[in-house]
């Protein structure tokens, strides 16, 4: 039974198209984005019993933990961040990420601070804390610890500071 549930989950999170998406909304094509929320949650809870680390978008993990009330609430967080960052020069949405994830944002100008190839300042959504936003400073070596952002208002107020973080 385990292999079948694993196969079913991998199909549920499969990203169909969306490779050219410029916002998270453009990547919401998987079964888990469109199916009735109760069915998505039931399948997710089933896969977690056999694989507690099964890939899933941040909002589904937060929903399962009781930290979000609906999937739409998670989509709204993604869309508000997209509206803010899309209007700001230098930020680029990367639609491919880990299986089932919602993509991430890169601040491309931050790479100029590096003397060797590396990873630009990156914003990722997370269920790790109730602000839902982590920023990883530009780096050429190991991935640095994330900077926890306390939500959209904190992001908006500190975006210039986050964009100018020194390399790790």
């Amino acid at each position: 039974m385990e292999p079948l549930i694993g196969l079913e989950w991998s199909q549920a999170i499969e990203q169909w198209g969306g490779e050219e998406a410029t916002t998270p909304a453009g990547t919401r094509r998987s079964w888990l984005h469109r199916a009735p929320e109760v069915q998505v949650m039931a399948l997710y809870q089933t896969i977690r019993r056999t694989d507690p680390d099964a890939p899933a978008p941040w909002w589904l993990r937060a929903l399962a933990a009781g930290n979000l009330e609906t999937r739409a609430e998670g989509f709204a967080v993604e869309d508000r961040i997209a509206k803010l960052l899309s209007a700001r020069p230098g930020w680029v949405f990367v639609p491919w990420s880990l299986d089932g994830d919602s993509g991430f944002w890169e601040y491309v100008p931050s790479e100029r601070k590096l003397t060797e190839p590396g990873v630009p300042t990156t914003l990722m959504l997370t269920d790790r804390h109730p602000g839902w936003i982590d920023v990883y400073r530009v780096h050429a070596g190991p991935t640095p610890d994330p900077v926890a952002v306390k939500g959209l208002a904190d992001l908006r107020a500190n975006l210039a500071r986050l964009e100018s973080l020194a390399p790790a």
Side-chain angles (χ1 to χ4, degrees), residues 15 22 27 60 64 73 94-95 99 102 107 126 138 142 147 162:
Q15 297 282 1
T22 57
T27 67
L60 185 54
E73 212 176 301
V94 180
D99 285 341
S102 306
Y107 184 62
T126 182
V138 60
V147 175
L162 293 168

Side-chain angles (χ1 to χ4, degrees), residues 9-10 12-15 24 27-34 40-41 43-44 47-48 52-65 68 70-72 74-75 78 95 97-104 124-128 132:
W9 184 247
S10 70
I13 63 174
E14 179 96 25
Q15 297 282 1
T27 67
R28 294 184 196 134
R29 299 169 183 230
S30 298
W31 176 85
L32 62 90
H33 296 108
R34 298 176 281 110
V40 172
M41 186 56 64
L43 181 59
Y44 181 57
I47 189 66
R48 284 185 56 209
D53 297 320
W58 73 275
W59 54 263
L60 185 54
R61 293 187 307 266
L63 189 61
L68 282 178
T70 66
R71 170 177 59 191
F75 292 169
E78 292 177 349
S97 187
L98 303 173
D99 285 341
D101 219 338
S102 306
F104 56 92
M124 299 185 87
L125 289 154
T126 182
D127 64 319
R128 191 176 71 80
W132 311 127

Side-chain angles (χ1 to χ4, degrees), residues 120-139:
T121 298
T122 303
L123 182 146
M124 299 185 87
L125 289 154
T126 182
D127 64 319
R128 191 176 71 80
H129 58 84
W132 311 127
I133 304 167
D134 277 344
V135 173
Y136 295 84
R137 65 181 61 231
V138 60
H139 60 282

